[in-house]
Amino acid sequence: MSEANEKEPRELLKSAFSPMGDAELQRDLWPQALRRLDERAIQAPWFDWALAAGVLAWLLWFPESLPVLLYHM
Amino acid sequence: MNAHPYLRAYMAGITVPTMALLLALTVFCIARLGYHVPVPIERLLVFPMAIVPNLFGLWNILYVRVGSGRRLPIGLHGALLPFLVVPLAFTIASSLGFLTFGQEALVLFDALRIPYSRLAVIFPGTVVIYYLVWKHLVGFFNELLGIA
């Protein structure tokens, strides 16, 4: 294919695809996610700690419950 | 960040059960390969791998869809999910043949017997775990993705 013949499909391709000048993300999202992770300390009321302790005791007392629990988690 | 809130709700919802699946798979593989418990892993995994994450995602979409004015706190919203998940799990497990209902106990994998009296403890325990998971983990991911 000669140079002249290649020119026309190249121009057609260029006109078909919009320029990709703005393809980069405007900002990096990872630092924002890290900042949110840092902002959030563990804030659980005593009631939740008591429930968590109860669940732990339950699993230690009835270890056969674990497969049942894992099955629907 | 208001674009695609339902997609973000779905992603936030499926994160926890997807991570828990690794733990579940590890336990079941150890039971199967280490202790030779006759666990049919390929049939067993259908529910925790395919159905539970999708239910979590859809339940979280429902949470976002209801709107901040009318919805329950996220912990209570999550604590309602076992009322849907547990009957579904029992139905699928019994239809796939690894859960049978004996006279005095449920029998899992022809190996593990769970007396019916224990179920009275297992179900509330499951509700509590769902409450904690939704309040502290799914709620965290919702905040992280800007939909809380």
Short mmCIF file of all heavy atoms in Angstrom, two decimals, chain A residues 13-57:
data_model
loop_
_atom_site.label_atom_id
_atom_site.label_comp_id
_atom_site.label_asym_id
_atom_site.label_seq_id
_atom_site.Cartn_x
_atom_site.Cartn_y
_atom_site.Cartn_z
N LEU A 13 -9.63 7.14 10.51
CA LEU A 13 -9.51 6.65 11.89
C LEU A 13 -9.41 7.81 12.88
O LEU A 13 -10.04 7.81 13.93
CB LEU A 13 -8.27 5.76 12.04
CG LEU A 13 -8.44 4.31 11.61
CD1 LEU A 13 -7.09 3.60 11.60
CD2 LEU A 13 -9.38 3.59 12.57
N LYS A 14 -8.59 8.82 12.49
CA LYS A 14 -8.43 9.97 13.38
C LYS A 14 -9.75 10.69 13.60
O LYS A 14 -10.07 11.14 14.70
CB LYS A 14 -7.40 10.94 12.79
CG LYS A 14 -5.97 10.59 13.08
CD LYS A 14 -5.06 11.67 12.55
CE LYS A 14 -3.60 11.30 12.80
NZ LYS A 14 -2.69 12.26 12.17
N SER A 15 -10.53 10.80 12.52
CA SER A 15 -11.80 11.52 12.67
C SER A 15 -12.82 10.69 13.45
O SER A 15 -13.74 11.23 14.07
CB SER A 15 -12.36 11.89 11.29
OG SER A 15 -12.66 10.71 10.58
N ALA A 16 -12.67 9.34 13.42
CA ALA A 16 -13.66 8.48 14.10
C ALA A 16 -13.47 8.46 15.61
O ALA A 16 -14.42 8.33 16.37
CB ALA A 16 -13.58 7.06 13.55
N PHE A 17 -12.21 8.57 16.06
CA PHE A 17 -11.95 8.50 17.51
C PHE A 17 -11.71 9.89 18.07
O PHE A 17 -10.93 10.66 17.50
CB PHE A 17 -10.72 7.62 17.79
CG PHE A 17 -10.97 6.17 17.52
CD1 PHE A 17 -10.52 5.58 16.34
CD2 PHE A 17 -11.69 5.40 18.40
CE1 PHE A 17 -10.76 4.25 16.07
CE2 PHE A 17 -11.92 4.06 18.14
CZ PHE A 17 -11.47 3.49 16.98
N SER A 18 -12.37 10.17 19.19
CA SER A 18 -12.17 11.49 19.79
C SER A 18 -10.80 11.54 20.44
O SER A 18 -10.25 10.51 20.82
CB SER A 18 -13.26 11.73 20.84
OG SER A 18 -13.21 10.71 21.79
N PRO A 19 -10.20 12.73 20.56
CA PRO A 19 -8.88 12.84 21.16
C PRO A 19 -8.89 12.36 22.61
O PRO A 19 -9.88 12.54 23.33
CB PRO A 19 -8.56 14.33 21.07
CG PRO A 19 -9.77 15.01 20.63
CD PRO A 19 -10.74 14.02 20.12
N MET A 20 -7.79 11.75 23.06
CA MET A 20 -7.68 11.17 24.40
C MET A 20 -6.94 12.09 25.36
O MET A 20 -6.30 11.63 26.31
CB MET A 20 -6.94 9.83 24.32
CG MET A 20 -7.62 8.80 23.45
SD MET A 20 -9.06 8.11 24.24
CE MET A 20 -8.30 7.06 25.46
N GLY A 21 -6.98 13.36 25.12
CA GLY A 21 -6.19 14.29 25.93
C GLY A 21 -6.58 14.30 27.40
O GLY A 21 -5.76 14.56 28.27
N ASP A 22 -7.86 13.97 27.75
CA ASP A 22 -8.34 14.10 29.13
C ASP A 22 -8.54 12.74 29.79
O ASP A 22 -9.42 12.57 30.63
CB ASP A 22 -9.66 14.88 29.12
CG ASP A 22 -9.95 15.48 30.48
OD1 ASP A 22 -8.99 15.66 31.26
OD2 ASP A 22 -11.13 15.74 30.78
N ALA A 23 -7.72 11.76 29.37
CA ALA A 23 -7.94 10.40 29.88
C ALA A 23 -7.42 10.19 31.29
O ALA A 23 -7.82 9.26 31.97
CB ALA A 23 -7.29 9.40 28.94
N GLU A 24 -6.49 11.01 31.75
CA GLU A 24 -5.92 10.84 33.09
C GLU A 24 -6.96 11.19 34.15
O GLU A 24 -7.82 12.05 33.94
CB GLU A 24 -4.73 11.79 33.26
CG GLU A 24 -3.51 11.39 32.44
CD GLU A 24 -2.82 10.16 33.01
OE1 GLU A 24 -2.72 10.07 34.24
OE2 GLU A 24 -2.39 9.30 32.21
N LEU A 25 -6.87 10.50 35.32
CA LEU A 25 -7.73 10.87 36.44
C LEU A 25 -7.37 12.28 36.92
O LEU A 25 -6.20 12.66 36.90
CB LEU A 25 -7.51 9.90 37.60
CG LEU A 25 -8.34 8.62 37.61
CD1 LEU A 25 -7.89 7.75 38.78
CD2 LEU A 25 -9.81 8.94 37.77
N GLN A 26 -8.37 13.02 37.32
CA GLN A 26 -8.11 14.38 37.77
C GLN A 26 -7.39 14.40 39.12
O GLN A 26 -6.77 15.37 39.47
CB GLN A 26 -9.42 15.16 37.87
CG GLN A 26 -10.15 15.28 36.54
CD GLN A 26 -9.30 15.99 35.50
OE1 GLN A 26 -8.76 17.06 35.76
NE2 GLN A 26 -9.16 15.38 34.32
N ARG A 27 -7.55 13.32 39.91
CA ARG A 27 -6.88 13.28 41.21
C ARG A 27 -6.62 11.83 41.56
O ARG A 27 -7.27 10.93 41.02
CB ARG A 27 -7.76 13.94 42.28
CG ARG A 27 -9.10 13.29 42.44
CD ARG A 27 -10.12 14.22 43.07
NE ARG A 27 -11.47 13.74 42.81
CZ ARG A 27 -12.14 12.96 43.61
NH1 ARG A 27 -11.61 12.58 44.73
NH2 ARG A 27 -13.36 12.57 43.32
N ASP A 28 -5.68 11.64 42.50
CA ASP A 28 -5.36 10.30 42.95
C ASP A 28 -6.31 9.95 44.10
O ASP A 28 -6.38 10.67 45.10
CB ASP A 28 -3.90 10.29 43.43
CG ASP A 28 -3.43 8.88 43.74
OD1 ASP A 28 -4.25 7.96 43.61
OD2 ASP A 28 -2.25 8.72 44.10
N LEU A 29 -7.04 8.83 43.95
CA LEU A 29 -8.05 8.48 44.96
C LEU A 29 -7.45 7.77 46.17
O LEU A 29 -8.06 7.73 47.23
CB LEU A 29 -9.13 7.59 44.33
CG LEU A 29 -9.96 8.24 43.23
CD1 LEU A 29 -10.89 7.22 42.61
CD2 LEU A 29 -10.77 9.40 43.78
N TRP A 30 -6.27 7.19 46.00
CA TRP A 30 -5.70 6.37 47.09
C TRP A 30 -5.39 7.20 48.33
O TRP A 30 -5.75 6.77 49.44
CB TRP A 30 -4.48 5.62 46.57
CG TRP A 30 -3.86 4.71 47.58
CD1 TRP A 30 -2.60 4.74 48.04
CD2 TRP A 30 -4.51 3.64 48.28
NE1 TRP A 30 -2.40 3.75 48.98
CE2 TRP A 30 -3.55 3.06 49.14
CE3 TRP A 30 -5.80 3.10 48.26
CZ2 TRP A 30 -3.85 1.99 49.98
CZ3 TRP A 30 -6.08 2.03 49.10
CH2 TRP A 30 -5.13 1.49 49.94
N PRO A 31 -4.73 8.37 48.21
CA PRO A 31 -4.50 9.17 49.43
C PRO A 31 -5.79 9.53 50.14
O PRO A 31 -5.83 9.56 51.38
CB PRO A 31 -3.79 10.43 48.91
CG PRO A 31 -3.19 10.02 47.63
CD PRO A 31 -4.10 9.00 47.04
N GLN A 32 -6.84 9.77 49.37
CA GLN A 32 -8.13 10.10 49.98
C GLN A 32 -8.66 8.91 50.80
O GLN A 32 -9.16 9.08 51.92
CB GLN A 32 -9.11 10.45 48.87
CG GLN A 32 -10.42 11.01 49.36
CD GLN A 32 -11.37 11.28 48.21
OE1 GLN A 32 -10.99 11.33 47.05
NE2 GLN A 32 -12.63 11.45 48.55
N ALA A 33 -8.52 7.69 50.24
CA ALA A 33 -8.96 6.50 50.97
C ALA A 33 -8.14 6.31 52.24
O ALA A 33 -8.67 5.98 53.30
CB ALA A 33 -8.86 5.27 50.07
N LEU A 34 -6.81 6.53 52.14
CA LEU A 34 -5.94 6.39 53.32
C LEU A 34 -6.31 7.41 54.39
O LEU A 34 -6.32 7.09 55.58
CB LEU A 34 -4.48 6.58 52.91
CG LEU A 34 -3.82 5.42 52.15
CD1 LEU A 34 -2.39 5.77 51.80
CD2 LEU A 34 -3.86 4.14 52.97
N ARG A 35 -6.64 8.64 53.96
CA ARG A 35 -7.00 9.67 54.93
C ARG A 35 -8.27 9.26 55.67
O ARG A 35 -8.37 9.41 56.89
CB ARG A 35 -7.18 11.01 54.21
CG ARG A 35 -7.19 12.19 55.15
CD ARG A 35 -7.01 13.52 54.43
NE ARG A 35 -7.96 13.74 53.36
CZ ARG A 35 -7.64 13.77 52.06
NH1 ARG A 35 -6.39 13.57 51.69
NH2 ARG A 35 -8.55 13.98 51.14
N ARG A 36 -9.23 8.71 54.94
CA ARG A 36 -10.47 8.28 55.61
C ARG A 36 -10.21 7.14 56.58
O ARG A 36 -10.84 7.05 57.62
CB ARG A 36 -11.50 7.84 54.56
CG ARG A 36 -12.07 8.99 53.81
CD ARG A 36 -13.37 8.62 53.16
NE ARG A 36 -13.85 9.68 52.31
CZ ARG A 36 -15.06 9.70 51.78
NH1 ARG A 36 -15.89 8.72 52.02
NH2 ARG A 36 -15.44 10.68 51.03
N LEU A 37 -9.29 6.24 56.21
CA LEU A 37 -8.94 5.15 57.12
C LEU A 37 -8.32 5.69 58.40
O LEU A 37 -8.60 5.22 59.50
CB LEU A 37 -7.97 4.19 56.44
CG LEU A 37 -8.56 3.21 55.43
CD1 LEU A 37 -7.44 2.52 54.66
CD2 LEU A 37 -9.42 2.17 56.12
N ASP A 38 -7.45 6.73 58.25
CA ASP A 38 -6.79 7.31 59.43
C ASP A 38 -7.77 8.06 60.31
O ASP A 38 -7.64 8.07 61.54
CB ASP A 38 -5.68 8.26 58.99
CG ASP A 38 -4.49 7.49 58.43
OD1 ASP A 38 -4.39 6.31 58.77
OD2 ASP A 38 -3.71 8.07 57.66
N GLU A 39 -8.77 8.70 59.66
CA GLU A 39 -9.72 9.50 60.43
C GLU A 39 -10.59 8.65 61.35
O GLU A 39 -11.07 9.11 62.36
CB GLU A 39 -10.65 10.27 59.47
CG GLU A 39 -10.01 11.50 58.86
CD GLU A 39 -10.87 12.07 57.76
OE1 GLU A 39 -11.99 11.56 57.55
OE2 GLU A 39 -10.42 13.02 57.11
N ARG A 40 -10.79 7.40 60.96
CA ARG A 40 -11.75 6.59 61.67
C ARG A 40 -11.08 5.72 62.73
O ARG A 40 -10.50 4.70 62.44
CB ARG A 40 -12.50 5.70 60.68
CG ARG A 40 -13.68 4.97 61.28
CD ARG A 40 -14.25 4.02 60.25
NE ARG A 40 -15.12 3.07 60.90
CZ ARG A 40 -16.43 3.18 60.94
NH1 ARG A 40 -17.02 4.18 60.40
NH2 ARG A 40 -17.16 2.26 61.55
N ALA A 41 -11.15 6.13 63.97
CA ALA A 41 -10.67 5.29 65.06
C ALA A 41 -11.80 4.30 65.43
O ALA A 41 -12.93 4.49 65.02
CB ALA A 41 -10.32 6.15 66.26
N ILE A 42 -11.44 3.26 66.20
CA ILE A 42 -12.47 2.30 66.60
C ILE A 42 -13.37 2.96 67.64
O ILE A 42 -12.92 3.31 68.72
CB ILE A 42 -11.83 1.01 67.17
CG1 ILE A 42 -11.02 0.34 66.07
CG2 ILE A 42 -12.88 0.07 67.71
CD1 ILE A 42 -10.26 -0.89 66.55
N GLN A 43 -14.63 3.16 67.26
CA GLN A 43 -15.58 3.81 68.17
C GLN A 43 -16.78 2.88 68.33
O GLN A 43 -17.75 3.00 67.60
CB GLN A 43 -16.03 5.15 67.59
CG GLN A 43 -14.90 6.14 67.45
CD GLN A 43 -15.29 7.33 66.61
OE1 GLN A 43 -16.24 7.27 65.84
NE2 GLN A 43 -14.58 8.43 66.75
N ALA A 44 -16.69 1.98 69.27
CA ALA A 44 -17.80 1.06 69.49
C ALA A 44 -18.32 1.26 70.90
O ALA A 44 -17.53 1.35 71.85
CB ALA A 44 -17.33 -0.37 69.29
N PRO A 45 -19.64 1.34 71.07
CA PRO A 45 -20.19 1.46 72.42
C PRO A 45 -19.97 0.17 73.21
O PRO A 45 -19.73 -0.89 72.63
CB PRO A 45 -21.67 1.72 72.17
CG PRO A 45 -21.93 1.22 70.81
CD PRO A 45 -20.66 1.34 70.04
N TRP A 46 -20.10 0.27 74.52
CA TRP A 46 -19.86 -0.91 75.38
C TRP A 46 -20.79 -2.06 75.00
O TRP A 46 -20.43 -3.23 75.12
CB TRP A 46 -20.05 -0.53 76.86
CG TRP A 46 -21.48 -0.21 77.21
CD1 TRP A 46 -22.06 1.02 77.20
CD2 TRP A 46 -22.51 -1.13 77.60
NE1 TRP A 46 -23.38 0.92 77.55
CE2 TRP A 46 -23.68 -0.38 77.80
CE3 TRP A 46 -22.55 -2.51 77.79
CZ2 TRP A 46 -24.90 -0.97 78.19
CZ3 TRP A 46 -23.76 -3.10 78.17
CH2 TRP A 46 -24.90 -2.32 78.37
N PHE A 47 -21.99 -1.71 74.52
CA PHE A 47 -22.97 -2.72 74.16
C PHE A 47 -22.43 -3.62 73.03
O PHE A 47 -22.58 -4.85 73.06
CB PHE A 47 -24.25 -2.00 73.71
CG PHE A 47 -25.36 -2.91 73.33
CD1 PHE A 47 -26.00 -3.67 74.29
CD2 PHE A 47 -25.79 -3.00 72.02
CE1 PHE A 47 -27.03 -4.52 73.95
CE2 PHE A 47 -26.83 -3.83 71.67
CZ PHE A 47 -27.45 -4.60 72.64
N ASP A 48 -21.76 -3.00 72.07
CA ASP A 48 -21.22 -3.78 70.95
C ASP A 48 -20.06 -4.67 71.41
O ASP A 48 -19.91 -5.80 70.95
CB ASP A 48 -20.74 -2.84 69.84
CG ASP A 48 -21.90 -2.21 69.10
OD1 ASP A 48 -23.06 -2.54 69.44
OD2 ASP A 48 -21.66 -1.40 68.19
N TRP A 49 -19.24 -4.13 72.33
CA TRP A 49 -18.15 -4.95 72.87
C TRP A 49 -18.73 -6.15 73.62
O TRP A 49 -18.19 -7.27 73.53
CB TRP A 49 -17.26 -4.13 73.79
CG TRP A 49 -16.38 -3.15 73.06
CD1 TRP A 49 -16.49 -1.79 73.08
CD2 TRP A 49 -15.29 -3.45 72.18
NE1 TRP A 49 -15.54 -1.22 72.28
CE2 TRP A 49 -14.77 -2.21 71.71
CE3 TRP A 49 -14.69 -4.64 71.76
CZ2 TRP A 49 -13.70 -2.14 70.83
CZ3 TRP A 49 -13.62 -4.54 70.88
CH2 TRP A 49 -13.13 -3.31 70.43
N ALA A 50 -19.81 -5.91 74.36
CA ALA A 50 -20.43 -7.01 75.11
C ALA A 50 -20.99 -8.06 74.15
O ALA A 50 -20.84 -9.27 74.39
CB ALA A 50 -21.55 -6.45 76.00
N LEU A 51 -21.61 -7.59 73.06
CA LEU A 51 -22.14 -8.55 72.07
C LEU A 51 -21.00 -9.34 71.43
O LEU A 51 -21.12 -10.56 71.25
CB LEU A 51 -22.92 -7.80 70.99
CG LEU A 51 -24.30 -7.29 71.36
CD1 LEU A 51 -24.88 -6.47 70.20
CD2 LEU A 51 -25.24 -8.45 71.68
N ALA A 52 -19.92 -8.65 71.11
CA ALA A 52 -18.78 -9.34 70.49
C ALA A 52 -18.19 -10.37 71.44
O ALA A 52 -17.86 -11.50 71.03
CB ALA A 52 -17.71 -8.32 70.08
N ALA A 53 -18.10 -10.02 72.74
CA ALA A 53 -17.60 -10.98 73.73
C ALA A 53 -18.55 -12.17 73.84
O ALA A 53 -18.11 -13.32 73.96
CB ALA A 53 -17.44 -10.29 75.08
N GLY A 54 -19.85 -11.89 73.80
CA GLY A 54 -20.84 -12.96 73.85
C GLY A 54 -20.72 -13.91 72.67
O GLY A 54 -20.79 -15.13 72.83
N VAL A 55 -20.50 -13.35 71.49
CA VAL A 55 -20.36 -14.17 70.28
C VAL A 55 -19.10 -15.04 70.39
O VAL A 55 -19.12 -16.23 70.06
CB VAL A 55 -20.30 -13.27 69.03
CG1 VAL A 55 -19.78 -14.04 67.83
CG2 VAL A 55 -21.67 -12.70 68.72
N LEU A 56 -18.02 -14.43 70.88
CA LEU A 56 -16.78 -15.18 71.04
C LEU A 56 -16.97 -16.33 72.01
O LEU A 56 -16.54 -17.48 71.76
CB LEU A 56 -15.67 -14.24 71.52
CG LEU A 56 -14.25 -14.76 71.44
CD1 LEU A 56 -13.86 -15.06 70.00
CD2 LEU A 56 -13.28 -13.77 72.05
N ALA A 57 -17.64 -16.04 73.14
CA ALA A 57 -17.90 -17.08 74.13
C ALA A 57 -18.77 -18.18 73.53
O ALA A 57 -18.54 -19.38 73.76
CB ALA A 57 -18.58 -16.46 75.36
#
